[in-house]
Amino acid sequence: MTSVGENRPDVPNAPAQSLGVELNGLNTIHESERKGRARDLFWPWFGANVSVFGLSYGSFLLGFGISFWQATIIGVLGIVISFLLCGFISLAGKRGSAPTMVLSRAMFGVDGNRLPSLLSWLLTVGWETVLTSLAVLATATVFTQLGWEGGVATKVVALIVVAALIVAAGVIGFDLIMRLQKIITIVTGVLTVIYIVLVLGHIDLGAVAALPAGDAPRVIGGFVFMLTGFGLGWVNAAADYSRYLPRSTRSSGVVGWTTFGAALAPVILLIFGVLLAGSSKELNTAIAADPIGALASLLPTWFLVPFVIVAVLGLVGGAVLDIYSSGLALLSAGLRVPRYLAAGIDGIIMIAGAIYVVFFATDFLGPFQGFLITLGVPIAAWCGIFIADIQLRKRDYHDEELYDRRGRYGSIRWLPISLIVIGTVVGWGLVTNGSAEWLSWQGYLLGPLGLGGKEGDWAFANLGVLVALLIGYLGTLIFSRAAVKRQEEAA
């Protein structure tokens, strides 16, 4: 049996056959395979974000030196707004029935789109590596607290089990992922509620209320960190899970269920995480080194095993969506192999990265923040371009020509590529990652623009992410209107 429609521009609408493994790749989903309702999007998005890791963001956010109310307000706004961007991009999946990085060709051209596809691949592979590493570290920490072996042997076994779950789901594909995410949603949702009830006694409202308020640069920095830590990490994959929906599905439902499913758990977990971290300086410090392991230290012994289950499943839920989308992004970047093989290749890279993080890295938070902000800048520019294009576009995509460099979308469109380059250059000049030495070159515009340099008040506000988003959005809205109109009017 062949992989019909897999990387074959000549048959973008060919229906894929199946022997359990999804054979659809970059092709447009055939009409006969489009199924489901908008509310089905709730399960993959909730399952990917109902992780106790979300509690750790309370500590990360307070690290900006802000108060409980500041952290709560900007945290909720950052989560909801960032996932609303995912909801808008999900519309393109419903309108085009193709992966996100194929639909992006309408903006960048069939060949020009390889640049954002490569960026998307780096981001998703990085995220799946982070989540896998956290699952392994959490398992080892909990085993140690139980008095069991929590050393190298446990980490190796945990890595094998976790990686096997993630890679298997990524290789088998969409239908398994949708079923798996529903199970993960139910199990982790129930166990997370139990966790919250068990650790309520550790909250010190007096200590939380005494947290001093931060100034504007700190508030903005925290807000941008929440954008990059949540929805901006998913925008490049948002249409991958709506592309199977019938094109008659209501657009408001696609946006609403994506945003609601993705944001619900993180909002609750963040607020509770701020309360926990604000109650104890020791816990706040411990979370930076081992986010989930530190949260386990608050639990009674009898709940440690269920905690491992909820921690690992929540992280696996996010990593599964990442490896699926990273495989699609790798194909869109130019690799000509079946989708399931691309997912397998990403799995190997993920395992190698996790081995480094688990066995050799000495710090988690510094490299993690550096990774988020550095890739968050070009992805924000791409997101701005995509959102503006959706706003300008009045018709569905022309399916066949998304695969034909001689068609209406062309080979390379230099304006959006220039916007990504400009947004990235300006954006990197307005962010800093002081805890990651290899990124010390960033922030080169903070001094010339009178923002206090790399040590000033605005150094950690991460303005570059917002600026890159605006450059991509406004540049497309102003200068691409005529090009989009020509595309839609082409014979």
Side-chain angles (χ1 to χ4, degrees):
M1 179 176 294
T2 60
S3 177
V4 180
E6 190 80 53
N7 285 331
R8 288 181 55 189
D10 54 315
V11 285
N13 290 301
Q17 304 177 63
S18 176
L19 283 177
V21 175
E22 180 195 5
L23 300 182
N24 281 318
L26 298 186
N27 57 287
T28 301
I29 302 302
H30 192 267
E31 183 67 35
S32 64
E33 293 187 88
R34 296 174 198 163
K35 56 191 176 182
R37 293 163 293 185
R39 66 170 176 258
D40 295 332
L41 293 171
F42 174 85
W43 300 108
W45 286 109
F46 189 91
N49 291 283
V50 59
S51 168
V52 290
F53 183 44
L55 294 167
S56 302
Y57 275 86
S59 172
F60 301 158
L61 200 48
L62 290 180
F64 283 87
I66 55 181
S67 69
F68 166 74
W69 287 111
Q70 288 176 321
T72 299
I73 293 170
I74 65 172
V76 172
L77 287 175
I79 290 169
V80 173
I81 291 173
S82 67
F83 282 123
L84 186 60
L85 297 177
C86 291
F88 288 138
I89 291 177
S90 292
L91 283 178
K94 189 263 293 191
R95 291 166 62 175
S97 304
T100 314
M101 283 300 145
V102 169
L103 301 171
S104 181
R105 293 174 177 177
M107 287 134 263
F108 292 87
V110 175
D111 296 314
N113 191 60
R114 293 185 181 186
L115 172 62
S117 294
L118 180 60
L119 292 172
S120 174
W121 178 73
L122 288 171
L123 183 63
T124 47
V125 168
W127 262 114
E128 66 202 49
T129 300
V130 166
L131 296 175
T132 301
S133 303
L134 286 172
V136 173
L137 291 171
T139 302
T141 299
V142 171
F143 271 46
T144 300
Q145 291 179 4
L146 286 168
W148 302 344
E149 168 59 40
V152 173
T154 297
K155 291 177 180 177
V156 169
V157 173
L159 179 58
I160 292 172
V161 173
V162 169
L165 285 171
I166 295 168
V167 174
V171 167
I172 293 174
F174 184 83
D175 285 336
L176 176 61
I177 288 173
M178 295 297 279
R179 295 189 185 102
L180 182 63
Q181 295 298 78
K182 190 170 185 177
I183 295 171
I184 289 175
T185 294
I186 295 170
V187 174
T188 54
V190 171
L191 292 178
T192 299
V193 170
I194 296 174
Y195 175 89
I196 290 174
V197 171
L198 289 174
V199 302
L200 273 175
H202 291 273
I203 292 177
D204 183 347
L205 293 178
V208 172
L211 292 171
D215 56 15
R218 294 177 182 272
V219 172
I220 294 173
F223 173 71
V224 174
F225 180 71
M226 297 306 292
L227 289 178
T228 55
F230 287 95
L232 272 183
W234 287 110
V235 289
N236 54 305
D240 296 351
Y241 306 97
S242 57
R243 77 190 202 277
Y244 274 89
L245 290 174
R247 294 193 182 180
S248 59
T249 306
R250 291 183 60 184
S251 296
S252 59
V254 174
V255 176
W257 283 106
T258 298
T259 306
F260 178 63
L264 178 60
V267 164
I268 296 171
L269 292 169
L270 171 80
I271 295 173
F272 193 75
V274 172
L275 289 170
L276 275 180
S279 300
S280 168
K281 292 183 179 179
E282 292 76 15
L283 177 63
N284 205 353
T285 301
I287 287 175
D290 183 3
I292 296 180
L295 295 171
S297 66
L298 306 178
L299 291 168
T301 302
W302 66 266
F303 193 71
L304 287 176
V305 172
F307 178 80
V308 169
I309 295 172
V310 67
V312 171
L313 281 181
L315 295 166
V316 165
V320 162
L321 263 63
D322 279 317
I323 195 170
Y324 181 74
S325 292
S326 69
L328 293 173
L330 187 57
L331 296 180
S332 186
L335 184 67
R336 298 186 66 84
V337 298
R339 182 207 60 79
Y340 51 85
L341 183 56
I345 292 171
D346 285 347
I348 294 172
I349 297 172
M350 174 193 77
I351 292 169
I355 289 173
Y356 170 76
V357 173
V358 170
F359 296 103
F360 300 102
T362 57
D363 175 42
F364 169 79
L365 185 57
F368 177 61
Q369 286 181 316
F371 159 72
L372 284 183
I373 298 300
T374 300
L375 280 181
V377 169
I379 288 295
W382 172 87
C383 179
I385 293 167
F386 207 123
I387 295 292
D389 186 83
I390 290 174
Q391 186 176 336
L392 292 172
R393 206 170 290 277
K394 307 304 180 185
R395 302 177 184 176
D396 289 348
Y397 301 93
H398 194 283
D399 297 344
E400 289 80 6
E401 295 189 31
L402 286 168
Y403 305 84
D404 184 1
R405 61 177 55 87
R406 297 165 300 179
R408 70 186 67 200
Y409 303 118
S411 175
I412 299 175
R413 295 189 61 216
W414 291 108
L415 173 64
I417 291 175
S418 299
L419 289 175
I420 278 195
V421 172
I422 294 170
T424 300
V425 171
V426 174
W428 280 346
L430 295 172
V431 301
T432 59
N433 286 285
S435 54
E437 293 183 2
W438 59 283
L439 296 173
S440 60
W441 53 270
Q442 294 177 346
Y444 44 80
L445 293 178
L446 290 168
L449 293 179
L451 296 174
K454 296 182 181 182
E455 303 298 328
D457 291 341
W458 291 96
F460 297 98
N462 296 319
L463 291 174
V465 175
L466 295 178
V467 171
L469 181 67
L470 286 174
I471 287 174
Y473 178 76
L474 294 176
T476 302
L477 208 60
I478 296 170
F479 298 111
S480 287
R481 189 177 301 273
V484 171
K485 185 176 181 180
R486 285 194 300 270
Q487 287 180 356
E488 297 196 324
E489 292 178 348

